[in-house]
Amino acid sequence: MPVSVPENRPSSRSAALALFLALVAAASMLYYHLHLFIPNVLEARATKGLGNGYAFGDDFYPIWLTARKWRAAHLDPYSPEMTRQIQLGLFGRALDARNPTDPPVNYREFAYPAFTEILVEPASRLEFSKLRIVLAPVLSLLTALSLWLWMLAMRWRISPLWFAVILLLTLCNYPVLEALFAEQPGLIAGFLLSSALLALARQRLLLAGVLLSLTLVKPQMTLLAIGYLLLWSASDRHRLKLWAGFLTTTLLLTCTSLYIWPHWIGRWIKVVLGYHRYATPPLVTLLPGPTLGPYVGPVAIVGLLSTGGVLAWRNRRAVSDSLEFWLTLSLLLAITSVTLLPGQAIYDHIILIPGILLILKYWRDLRPAPRVRILLLLSAVVVCWQWVTAFAVILLHPALSAERFASAALPLPIRTAASFPFAVLALLIYARRIIQTAAIEPS
């Protein structure tokens, strides 16, 4: 259980200083992303003839369009015609296989389970130009609420100043800003997952199961976590309400979707299996480089997934408010980020929040271990890099030529985005080893 530490004047000054630095960091990253990075990306799209469609909100657009077309004309969301209409809305034209600069012709096809259409159908009644304006603050609020819900579920209480620091850095970092600009549905899945864990922590297992089922709108984000929680539920008859809520909701969504689109499961699986043709490989495959990656990556994925399975099995009886339970869940989400998510899905790294919070909660207790001290330092450098370099890039912008700025300075703040999940994963692994040999109470 957390140890309550009364707030004193030095800690208040530290929190105030941290809040000031967080404000500077957040403002720097926000300016960098919206006024430097995004305009450069849009210019590159326009150069390829792909700049005449929606960029802001482009990840939510396929869901909106397919739901709207289903209501109006009962079009199959997985059909080639639907893919073509999605491309027309996003790029201003359909992709052409004869154009060497174009992505594959099935790029941006609808890749979500069909029941996603049912859940977002009310939103499809708004014009997309208006909907995306509404979604921007809504998704920001859901992300902020996700952070708060995770902390409630972990029973971690901190001062309002420190919460403000963590909230600012959560909302104004590159992965989350990417997700917010694209209006990525993964932010909704992250909110649902945090809500499910809070319901579980408060012993409302039926509600937790229902919320877990709804995260299947993006199953690649929550698959390992769901697997562990279902195993955890099945290990004790008093926890079976979670199974009941999950199974009932999933069957209801699936059967309703099958009534509307009788062949959707096969078509969706076909889309998922073909996703690798235009998606970036998982980060664990990218890490060894283009030469070794195709050989080392699959072995590493199997090894990490197997390790996660063993860990889930060993801790299937853990109490929901125990450190073992939260470490297992956080490790599985970190493994997901480097094995199941595509390499470009930096925006889905919101699932690392519980692992990051766990490290922050226990970092003083982990510090005595020499290797963990080094990992903590490296992780701090990796995560702070984006804010420090964003500030530096803003200062350097007027002094550099446009060409030199675009090639050398502009990419600097995003250089460490792909490496951060590995830092979180390594810290969680070492934290588990230390906790196995010593009873740790958080400072």
Side-chain angles (χ1 to χ4, degrees):
M1 295 292 294
V3 176
S4 178
V5 179
E7 187 177 2
N8 52 33
R9 186 170 297 177
S11 64
S12 298
R13 283 201 294 264
S14 299
L17 176 61
L19 181 59
F20 171 75
L21 294 175
L23 283 168
V24 174
S28 299
M29 195 64 202
L30 198 60
Y31 182 89
Y32 163 81
H33 189 262
L34 292 180
H35 293 280
L36 299 177
F37 182 76
I38 290 298
N40 188 268
V41 171
L42 296 181
E43 184 180 346
R45 281 179 53 158
T47 302
K48 296 179 181 179
L50 302 174
N52 295 321
Y54 289 110
F56 168 42
D58 61 348
D59 279 353
F60 202 85
Y61 180 79
I63 301 174
W64 171 86
L65 183 65
T66 48
R68 195 174 180 89
K69 292 294 183 181
W70 159 60
R71 191 182 72 247
H74 299 285
L75 289 182
D76 178 4
Y78 304 102
S79 67
E81 173 58 24
M82 195 69 253
T83 301
R84 180 178 177 277
Q85 291 197 33
I86 291 171
Q87 292 171 355
L88 286 172
L90 292 178
F91 309 122
R93 64 175 177 85
L95 299 178
D96 189 350
R98 296 168 297 180
N99 189 338
T101 64
D102 273 8
V105 291
N106 56 350
Y107 181 60
R108 286 295 194 171
E109 62 188 338
F110 184 74
Y112 298 88
F115 51 75
T116 308
E117 304 286 72
I118 300 172
L119 298 174
V120 304
E121 193 277 335
S124 70
R125 297 176 182 272
L126 274 177
E127 292 296 329
F128 189 70
S129 57
K130 297 179 181 177
L131 177 63
R132 63 179 184 167
I133 302 301
V134 174
L135 274 178
V138 168
L139 291 177
S140 300
L141 178 61
L142 290 183
T143 305
L145 284 173
S146 296
L147 178 68
W148 182 53
L149 294 176
W150 281 120
M151 297 181 80
L152 287 177
M154 290 180 177
R155 300 184 181 181
W156 187 27
R157 296 179 181 178
I158 59 175
S159 72
L161 277 178
W162 281 114
F163 179 78
V165 171
I166 297 175
L167 179 60
L168 275 171
L169 299 182
T170 298
L171 290 175
C172 295
N173 64 76
Y174 172 66
V176 172
L177 287 175
E178 279 287 280
L180 290 173
F181 183 82
E183 299 190 331
Q184 170 55 233
L187 295 175
I188 300 174
F191 169 74
L192 291 169
L193 183 62
S194 63
S195 302
L197 266 295
L198 179 60
L200 186 149
R202 296 187 172 178
Q203 301 303 309
R204 301 182 66 180
L205 299 183
L206 190 65
L207 175 60
V210 172
L211 292 168
L212 270 182
S213 176
L214 295 178
T215 68
L216 289 175
V217 294
K218 286 209 73 172
Q220 68 271 35
M221 285 180 62
T222 58
L223 191 61
L224 295 186
I226 289 175
Y228 172 58
L229 293 173
L230 292 179
L231 180 62
W232 175 86
S233 174
S235 67
D236 188 332
R237 63 185 179 85
H238 298 295
R239 303 170 179 170
L240 289 178
K241 284 185 178 180
L242 187 141
W243 254 104
F246 178 83
L247 193 60
T248 302
T249 307
T250 304
L251 284 175
L252 179 62
L253 290 171
T254 303
C255 292
T256 305
S257 303
L258 285 171
Y259 177 77
I260 300 170
W261 303 282
H263 308 292
W264 80 264
I265 294 179
R267 291 174 180 172
W268 175 61
I269 291 174
K270 183 180 178 182
V271 170
V272 171
L273 293 178
Y275 194 66
H276 68 92
R277 288 195 292 268
Y278 53 84
T280 308
L283 292 177
V284 76
T285 302
L286 293 175
L287 185 67
T291 304
L292 294 177
Y295 304 99
V296 176
V299 176
I301 289 173
V302 171
L304 284 169
L305 292 178
S306 301
T307 302
V310 171
L311 183 65
W313 177 259
R314 287 180 177 176
N315 292 321
R316 68 191 185 279
R317 298 187 186 278
V319 181
S320 61
D321 61 352
S322 67
L323 192 51
E324 290 80 6
F325 174 87
W326 282 104
L327 267 174
T328 303
L329 181 71
S330 299
L331 271 166
L332 289 171
L333 290 171
I335 289 172
T336 299
S337 70
V338 300
T339 60
L340 298 186
L341 297 181
Q344 84 274 8
I346 302 293
Y347 41 73
D348 285 337
H349 288 177
I350 191 172
I351 59 173
L352 293 173
I353 285 180
I356 295 168
L357 291 178
L358 206 62
I359 293 165
L360 289 174
K361 183 179 179 181
Y362 288 93
W363 75 275
R364 283 196 178 95
D365 304 284
L366 299 175
R367 244 184 345 181
R371 291 182 181 179
V372 176
R373 283 204 303 270
I374 296 171
L375 272 175
L376 283 169
L377 178 61
L378 290 175
S379 300
V381 170
V382 168
V383 74
C384 292
W385 172 269
Q386 59 177 317
W387 295 302
V388 174
T389 53
F391 184 77
V393 164
I394 292 169
L395 294 179
L396 288 172
H397 183 214
L400 297 176
S401 66
E403 184 178 347
R404 187 171 179 80
F405 176 78
S407 62
L410 188 65
L412 283 176
I414 65 174
R415 292 293 190 195
T416 59
S419 59
F420 184 63
F422 293 101
V424 174
L425 180 60
L427 278 169
L428 290 171
I429 290 171
Y430 274 106
R432 183 174 179 273
R433 288 182 181 179
I434 293 169
I435 288 161
Q436 283 177 331
T437 57
I440 289 183
E441 287 293 327
S443 299

